[in-house]
Amino acid sequence: VIDRGPDGILILLDMMERDKVEMFIGNHELMMLDFLSVDGNKENWFYGNNGGQVTYEQFLKLPIPMREDLVRYLVKAWVQKYVEVDGKTYALHHSYFIPDKTGEDVRFCDESSTTKVFKAVWYSPYRFWEHVEPEEYDDGYIHLIGHVPVQNLRVSRPPLLNETLGNRLMNLDGGCAMLSFGQPGGLYCMRLERDESGARKEFWIPG
């Protein structure tokens, strides 16, 4: 949500007011929480293209009570959540998951291992470094992930629903982050309920 544009904090504040929107922690939100913690890393969030400077400037403009509410909101964000739709169970998470809690809904505040959360939000089957094998997602669930924009998968065009492992691993990252680097991208959304033809409704909102 944050760091890839000037309005990340405003987006979070808007999400906090919406009952039907749920937050999943990603690598950028994890860097923010780490930065704000007493003994956290004070360098990663501002390093290179991570983009923490603009978000932190927005954050400091908020009244202290709003900052506290926002941090509490992020701490309660999901690391992974499982939902059943039309007889199929979908695993929703930013990128990877916590293998020893497969099938369990896990919030950031409920997981004591920061190492496991780090791996869940940074590791991906689509990265050469911080890499996990796609076969690790072959656990009976349908995994919906992001983190690596489809534009970086060396594919022909967005929007693309990159499906592997017999449709058990789907990358839904339309590349909104690419816009901050002057490259094409947009928001990719999917409705999990299928229509009468058996298709899922897909939405592509270009930037």
Side-chain angles (χ1 to χ4, degrees):
V1 175
I2 60 173
D3 299 342
R4 294 302 185 229
D7 298 319
I9 293 295
L10 296 179
I11 294 172
L12 285 176
L13 293 175
D14 181 79
M15 292 173 63
M16 290 168 59
E17 300 299 320
R18 298 181 182 270
D19 294 335
K20 295 184 179 181
V21 174
E22 300 200 51
M23 177 69 190
F24 286 77
I25 192 166
N27 55 315
H28 288 267
E29 292 76 30
L30 183 62
M31 284 190 289
M32 177 179 175
L33 290 175
D34 193 18
F35 178 90
L36 295 174
S37 65
V38 175
D39 298 321
N41 188 303
K42 305 301 181 183
E43 298 179 3
N44 284 353
W45 197 28
F46 289 0
Y47 179 77
N49 292 323
N50 285 338
Q53 294 93 334
V54 63
T55 303
Y56 187 54
E57 290 173 4
Q58 294 175 342
F59 181 74
L60 291 179
K61 293 177 182 178
L62 299 178
I64 291 177
M66 291 185 68
R67 295 185 214 170
E68 294 173 342
D69 288 344
L70 191 148
V71 169
R72 281 191 289 267
Y73 177 73
L74 291 179
V75 167
K76 293 181 180 179
W78 294 106
V79 177
Q80 60 196 47
K81 185 175 183 180
Y82 294 79
V83 297
E84 185 172 341
V85 180
D86 296 336
K88 298 181 181 296
T89 303
Y90 294 83
L92 313 179
H93 42 95
H94 179 70
S95 187
Y96 190 45
F97 54 98
I98 302 176
D100 61 2
K101 293 188 177 179
T102 297
E104 298 180 28
D105 296 343
V106 180
R107 294 184 186 272
F108 175 71
C109 56
D110 296 329
E111 177 51 57
S112 59
S113 172
T114 55
T115 300
K116 291 179 181 179
V117 175
F118 178 91
K119 190 170 183 179
V121 301
W122 279 100
Y123 279 56
S124 170
Y126 302 117
R127 303 185 82 180
F128 294 111
W129 62 99
E130 294 166 344
H131 177 78
V132 291
E133 294 299 326
E135 288 74 19
E136 294 198 36
Y137 295 79
D138 192 11
D139 55 7
Y141 301 104
I142 301 173
H143 292 262
L144 305 183
I145 70 172
H147 188 40
V148 177
V150 293
Q151 292 90 333
N152 288 352
L153 304 184
R154 298 179 182 177
V155 296
S156 58
R157 62 177 178 81
L160 177 73
L161 179 61
N162 188 67
E163 303 190 7
T164 59
L165 293 178
N167 297 337
R168 290 194 176 278
L169 175 58
M170 304 182 184
N171 187 336
L172 304 183
D173 192 330
C176 283
M178 308 296 285
L179 299 172
S180 63
F181 299 107
Q183 301 180 37
L187 179 65
Y188 189 86
C189 304
M190 176 196 291
R191 187 177 65 194
L192 297 182
E193 294 85 358
R194 295 177 182 270
D195 60 24
E196 294 179 356
S197 69
R200 285 182 292 256
K201 183 68 174 178
E202 301 172 13
F203 304 87
W204 170 247
I205 306 172

